Amino acid sequence: MAISKKGKRRIVVGDREFLWWVKEDWENYSAPGAPTLTIISANRRVVVRYVLAQSEENRHVVVLGPEFRGITRPGPHRRFRCPAFGLPGEVRPAHIAELISWCTETGDLPDLYERQVDLVAAVTA
């Protein structure tokens, strides 16, 4: 099944085509409604989400597709720590290409991101 291109931008990195878009993500547990960058490859093997303007201690990328950093592993989504991409509040094609290159280059997997939950605050809320 084809990917809808409506409201999405196209970018080619290396010899691969990707679609990307920014949208408020109301399902984001740490920042509901935060602008979130989504990138998907034409063959749907690379699918990642990156919340814009994340704090240093919480910065991560959510991997939804099976391919990430040269390793293919199908299954549930995973969160990995990552460097900052671009400037807060600003998205440019160069930033998108940088994130795609980081996600598709072969190398060791970065540290998993484990969110810290304050159980007392969660129960009393």
Side-chain angles (χ1 to χ4, degrees), residues 2-5 24 32 35 40-41 47 54-56 58 61 65 67 69 71 87 93-95 105 111 116-117:
I3 302 168
S4 170
K5 292 181 174 87
E24 291 180 343
I40 185 167
S41 63
V47 183
Q54 296 181 67
S55 64
E56 179 68 33
N58 292 325
V61 63
E67 190 177 311
R69 296 190 60 86
I71 297 172
L87 301 171
H95 304 149
E105 71 185 12
D111 294 336
Q116 303 300 317
V117 177

Side-chain angles (χ1 to χ4, degrees), residues 7-123:
K8 298 169 179 69
R9 297 206 45 198
R10 179 181 173 268
I11 188 169
V12 176
V13 176
D15 60 348
R16 297 177 73 177
E17 181 179 327
F18 296 85
L19 293 176
W20 66 273
W21 63 96
V22 176
K23 181 178 158 186
E24 291 180 343
D25 184 5
W26 290 100
E27 296 178 5
N28 184 345
Y29 64 86
S30 60
T36 302
L37 168 67
T38 303
I39 300 171
I40 185 167
S41 63
N43 64 1
R44 298 184 191 185
R45 305 280 301 155
V46 176
V47 183
V48 295
R49 284 195 179 146
Y50 177 76
V51 177
L52 303 177
Q54 296 181 67
S55 64
E56 179 68 33
E57 62 272 1
N58 292 325
R59 188 173 300 121
H60 66 281
V61 63
V62 179
V63 178
L64 301 168
E67 190 177 311
F68 180 68
R69 296 190 60 86
I71 297 172
T72 301
R73 184 180 303 159
H77 67 273
R78 298 155 290 164
R79 293 179 177 90
F80 293 100
R81 294 216 173 266
C82 66
F85 297 101
L87 301 171
E90 185 176 293
V91 179
R92 295 183 179 183
H95 304 149
I96 307 301
E98 182 183 6
L99 176 57
I100 291 170
S101 295
W102 183 81
C103 289
T104 57
E105 71 185 12
T106 302
D108 294 332
L109 290 177
D111 294 336
L112 282 170
Y113 172 74
E114 300 289 335
R115 84 177 163 152
Q116 303 300 317
V117 177
D118 184 357
L119 294 177
V120 174
V123 170

